[in-house]
Amino acid sequence: MNRNRLKPFYHFGPKSITGLCILLVLALFLLGVPFLDFMELKTYDLRFLSRGIEKPDPRVVAAVLDERSLDEVGRWPWPRARFAEILDILDRDGAKVVAFDIGFIEPDENNNLKLIQELDSRLRNLEIENEGLTAFIKERKSLADNDRLLAESIHRVNLRTVLGYFFYMSQSFLEYELTPAQIDTRLQHIRDSKYPLILYDQEAMDFEPFREAYAPEPNLPILHDAAAGSGYFNMEPNPEDGIVRTMPLMYRCGTEVYAPLSIQAVWHYLDRPQLMVKVAPYGIQGIRIGDSLIPTDEMGYMRINYLGPERTFPHYSLSDVLHGKLPKGTFQDKLVIIGATSIGIGDIRNTPFSSTGEYPGLEIHATVIDNILKGNHLSKPKWATIFDVMAILVLGLLTGLLVPRLSALKAVLGAVLLFVLYILLSRWLFVDFGFWVNMVYPLLAILLVYTALTVYHYLTEEKERKKIRGAFSYYVSSSVVNEMLKDPSRLKLGGDKKELSVLFSDIRSFTSLSEGMTPEDLVHLLNEYLTVMTDIVFEYEGTLDKYIGDALMAIYGAPLEQADHPRRACASALEMMEGLKSLNEKWIKEGKPPLDIGIGINTGMMMVGNMGSEQRFDYTVMGDAVNLGSRLEGANKSYKTHILISESTYDRVKD
């Protein structure tokens, strides 16, 4: 039977572990893990915070209904005539476009108008006809009709007014269901906010990627007909944390596609250039406004490039506008957004810069307008997915290459360096180019590969430590074993040619000595002798190669490197003779026979390592230099000496 067939055809090493970790991260990335995707959104927010605040476009300002406006002008709701007055003031100051982040959906509640209408009705019932009275009632009715006053102001001013409305995204938002005719009537009131052109690629002619809305809640017809245009002000915060990161730039309702307040405001501010939605085979490509393309995701959502926290855009109190407290020209050629920031009536949102519900909704519209005017867009380009996959592969492989080749400290520093470098790369692409690449999954690849390899290294190192301790505890001193455990790489298993010193020690006339003793006494004597000799070898950090009957063989210079291995061997030999002298004195007192030994030492090149079969092996040395050491031990008998060393050993210790 072929023994190799019994071996496993694979094994888990650093390469296999690295590959498995990378494949796992790639699978998680392609499938999408909600928690990890949520963490990616948090890194997206952190990129804004690390970038800091940017200056807004000076053409965009906010006129706000704040706490001071309510204190100085009056409680909400304000009569529509007051907004007519505001429009007149802004027009005289040179504003170009005014966008209302306020809906004028219900008629203005006006007690004076009700009284005049009731008086007119009563006079008609009483059949009282008086030309002067009729003219007076007509005049008063006109002055008291705030909706008409606002409509007339919108007609009269030179600036362009864009009104805001909202969509019900499903029937559940209403307490009743609208009929198709009712929905169609409402859609007629917002017809000016639909995109004039939807441009499909030839391969996307049957593709409908638009987000569907149920029905609009438009402004009063008298106001809508007077305005230059209108747009919805719906926003869709992230359902998990409530942060607004994107703006839907189109909704389909019925058969048409409609634009938001921000697009309509910019379009009118730029004097109504060509406006179209571009649809590609994979989804919506973006919105073309004049020569500029506003990039969106495949569903038509624009990633908002926030400039900073609340009040990054100039805020002007409507109280100051009404009371003429602002310098002339404050609104010259400006796009003015009018909305509420006061507590209780303001539309307050969470953003990456303000996650505590303090960011005015009107500033989100201002930010979108700013991004469009400056072309300062954020996007996740089509190549971003390929980039993310390559980042996972490259960072995982680099971690897998570095960790097994470095020490523990250098490995963790290398992993941290890769971690930090990728964070800096992602931030650089985000801040300097507006590209959003994934940060969490590539960093997870580093973390997972590093952790897996570290655990693997710990387990295999612990196994190796046990192996070393078990294999060498009988051959070398505990201090040598501890040194090897500190750095197992210093132990080279297998044959290795190097210069070492070898020591042979043998008892003289052991055969005749053994014939005069019982086996028990002989074993006790021999064990006592070998224990002392072995302790001396270990004292000088030699390696006990083997016992050959009554003979002892030791190596110096392996498995640990010892530059002074000849001196250690010679010192061991001298101390062995002293140890034997003490033993003989003890044995003579006990009535036991004394022993005599011979020691041979040689230094030279020899093969050292694990020698034997795959099932059983010994750590030993081989070669002519070893044989010479053995012959020197035997030559002691001829020279009547106890210790003989070779010339090569002598050259190393003669000084």
Side-chain angles (χ1 to χ4, degrees):
M1 182 183 292
N2 187 349
R3 293 180 182 273
N4 290 330
R5 292 181 182 176
L6 300 177
K7 298 178 181 179
F9 62 87
Y10 68 91
H11 71 281
F12 285 102
K15 292 181 180 178
S16 303
I17 291 172
T18 300
L20 287 173
C21 291
I22 292 174
L23 288 176
L24 176 60
V25 176
L26 284 173
L28 294 175
F29 171 70
L30 295 175
L31 293 173
V33 179
F35 172 74
L36 295 177
D37 293 339
F38 177 70
M39 293 303 297
E40 175 61 23
L41 290 178
K42 291 303 180 183
T43 69
Y44 178 85
D45 297 343
L46 288 173
R47 278 172 255 195
F48 279 112
L49 297 175
S50 69
R51 184 205 64 193
I53 301 172
E54 292 188 346
K55 290 183 178 180
D57 192 308
R59 293 172 288 182
V60 184
V61 298
V64 299
L65 181 68
D66 54 7
E67 298 290 343
R68 189 152 59 87
S69 298
L70 297 178
D71 292 339
E72 295 181 4
V73 179
R75 65 181 180 84
W76 183 259
W78 284 358
R80 303 279 162 79
R82 192 155 290 148
F83 287 104
E85 184 181 353
I86 290 170
L87 282 180
D88 289 335
I89 294 171
L90 294 176
D91 181 54
R92 289 196 298 270
D93 201 48
K96 186 173 182 179
V97 171
V98 171
F100 278 97
D101 187 28
I102 298 172
F104 303 113
I105 296 167
E106 301 292 338
D108 193 333
E109 291 291 335
N110 191 322
N111 292 329
N112 291 333
L113 179 60
K114 289 181 179 179
L115 178 62
I116 294 171
Q117 289 173 339
E118 186 178 342
L119 177 62
D120 184 38
S121 177
R122 183 66 60 86
L123 290 175
R124 290 179 185 276
N125 292 336
L126 294 174
E127 296 182 353
I128 299 174
E129 296 184 6
N130 184 292
E131 291 184 6
L133 185 59
T134 302
F136 174 79
I137 290 175
K138 184 177 180 180
E139 179 187 359
R140 287 297 151 187
K141 187 185 293 186
S142 176
L143 293 174
D145 190 348
N146 289 326
D147 292 327
R148 182 173 296 281
L149 289 175
L150 178 56
E152 290 175 352
S153 176
I154 293 172
H155 265 301
R156 182 174 60 254
V157 296
N158 293 319
L159 59 80
R160 295 168 183 170
T161 304
V162 180
L163 300 181
Y165 64 90
F166 66 90
F167 274 111
Y168 294 107
M169 299 310 296
S170 71
Q171 191 270 324
S172 61
F173 287 92
L174 280 167
E175 296 179 355
Y176 55 91
E177 185 174 357
L178 296 172
T179 65
Q182 289 173 319
I183 294 176
D184 187 62
T185 299
R186 293 187 177 207
L187 291 176
Q188 287 300 314
H189 293 154
I190 62 166
R191 60 188 179 275
D192 60 350
S193 72
K194 67 183 182 182
Y195 283 101
L197 178 63
I198 310 294
L199 183 63
Y200 291 86
D201 279 1
Q202 189 169 2
E203 297 141 350
M205 292 299 292
D206 298 326
F207 189 48
E208 295 294 339
F210 305 105
R211 178 94 153 83
E212 293 285 344
Y214 173 64
E217 188 67 77
N219 292 280
L220 294 174
I222 189 174
L223 299 177
H224 174 270
D225 293 341
S230 62
Y232 62 83
F233 42 62
N234 294 62
M235 297 180 192
E236 296 184 25
N238 185 280
E240 294 177 336
D241 58 7
I243 292 179
V244 179
R245 298 183 178 91
T246 59
M247 175 67 75
L249 294 190
M250 60 201 73
Y251 284 143
R252 176 188 285 280
C253 192
T255 60
E256 302 291 347
V257 179
Y258 296 89
L261 181 69
S262 49
I263 290 288
Q264 285 287 324
V266 172
W267 186 54
H268 284 284
Y269 187 82
L270 297 178
D271 299 321
R272 295 189 285 262
Q274 186 183 52
L275 178 64
M276 71 175 76
V277 177
K278 299 190 69 176
V279 182
Y282 61 86
I284 297 167
Q285 181 182 356
I287 296 170
R288 175 72 63 180
I289 183 166
D291 296 329
S292 301
L293 180 68
I294 307 167
T296 66
D297 65 11
E298 61 276 7
M299 292 297 294
Y301 287 73
M302 170 187 164
R303 291 180 176 85
I304 304 171
N305 190 359
Y306 285 100
L307 308 180
E310 60 274 8
R311 299 187 67 86
T312 297
F313 288 86
H315 280 216
Y316 299 104
S317 174
L318 287 178
S319 171
D320 292 339
V321 175
L322 287 166
H323 296 150
K325 294 181 179 180
L326 299 174
K328 185 174 178 57
T330 298
F331 300 103
Q332 182 69 41
D333 293 325
K334 297 291 194 293
L335 193 162
V336 185
I337 301 177
I338 296 179
T341 61
S342 176
I343 298 174
I345 62 172
D347 179 25
I348 305 300
R349 303 284 183 163
N350 294 326
T351 72
F353 278 101
S354 180
S355 59
T356 56
E358 299 175 354
Y359 198 94
L362 69 89
E363 273 204 78
I364 296 180
H365 296 296
T367 303
V368 174
I369 292 169
D370 174 278
N371 294 168
I372 297 171
L373 289 176
K374 293 194 299 188
N376 187 20
H377 299 293
L378 293 177
S379 66
K380 200 171 184 67
K382 289 185 286 185
W383 51 260
T385 301
I386 299 174
F387 180 92
D388 296 340
V389 170
M390 292 303 298
I392 293 170
L393 287 171
V394 171
L395 292 175
L397 289 173
L398 284 176
T399 307
L401 289 172
L402 290 175
V403 172
R405 289 167 171 78
L406 300 175
S407 65
L409 179 60
K410 290 181 179 178
V412 71
L413 290 176
V416 169
L417 180 62
L418 285 177
F419 209 86
V420 172
L421 286 177
Y422 186 73
I423 290 174
L424 294 176
L425 173 63
S426 303
R427 181 188 178 279
W428 175 65
L429 291 173
F430 184 85
V431 174
D432 288 16
F433 300 97
F435 295 145
W436 177 24
V437 297
N438 199 288
M439 187 181 290
V440 167
Y441 286 96
L443 295 181
L444 178 63
I446 297 175
L447 186 62
L448 192 59
V449 172
Y450 172 80
T451 303
L453 289 179
T454 301
V455 172
Y456 170 80
H457 179 69
Y458 172 79
L459 294 176
T460 54
E461 186 180 70
E462 187 63 25
K463 182 179 178 182
E464 190 68 21
R465 288 166 69 90
K466 290 180 180 178
K467 180 179 178 182
I468 292 171
R469 190 180 295 278
F472 288 92
S473 59
Y474 296 104
Y475 307 116
V476 295
S477 66
S478 59
S479 61
V480 174
V481 173
N482 291 333
E483 284 299 316
M484 288 191 291
L485 293 177
K486 290 179 182 177
D487 186 9
S489 64
R490 296 170 65 184
L491 173 62
K492 294 184 179 179
L493 300 178
D496 192 10
K497 192 172 185 180
K498 61 196 309 185
E499 184 189 68
L500 304 172
S501 293
V502 63
L503 178 150
F504 285 89
S505 170
D506 192 15
I507 300 175
R508 294 177 181 175
S509 304
F510 182 74
T511 303
S512 59
L513 179 68
S514 62
E515 292 174 352
M517 300 180 67
T518 64
E520 291 80 5
D521 291 340
L522 181 63
V523 169
H524 179 75
L525 184 74
L526 186 59
N527 285 343
E528 191 174 2
Y529 160 75
L530 290 175
T531 297
V532 172
M533 298 299 110
T534 302
D535 288 343
I536 293 171
V537 172
F538 287 173
E539 180 184 346
Y540 289 94
E541 298 184 342
T543 301
L544 177 65
D545 187 304
K546 62 177 68 71
Y547 299 118
I548 311 169
D550 61 315
L552 177 149
M553 176 181 173
I555 309 165
Y556 295 85
L560 293 183
E561 297 284 347
Q562 294 168 335
D564 60 344
H565 55 82
R567 185 191 64 79
R568 292 174 183 267
C570 292
S572 298
L574 293 173
E575 191 159 336
M576 283 179 178
M577 295 307 300
E578 291 296 323
L580 181 62
K581 182 179 178 181
S582 299
L583 283 173
N584 283 333
E585 291 175 355
K586 174 178 174 291
W587 287 334
I588 291 172
K589 290 179 181 179
E590 295 174 354
K592 297 176 182 178
L595 299 180
D596 192 14
I597 64 172
I599 300 173
I601 299 173
N602 181 40
T603 301
M605 300 299 295
M606 55 192 78
M607 291 296 296
V608 60
N610 285 319
M611 311 293 179
S613 67
E614 291 185 0
Q615 291 76 27
R616 185 175 179 84
F617 53 83
D618 288 320
Y619 189 79
T620 187
V621 289
M622 299 177 65
D624 292 339
V626 179
N627 297 333
L628 178 57
S630 178
R631 293 192 186 98
L632 287 172
E633 183 276 319
N636 280 295
K637 297 177 182 179
S638 302
Y639 287 101
K640 309 293 184 195
T641 56
H642 290 98
I643 303 174
L644 283 178
I645 65 174
S646 67
E647 183 179 6
S648 60
T649 303
Y650 172 75
D651 288 338
R652 298 285 298 276
V653 299
K654 62 184 179 180
D655 296 330

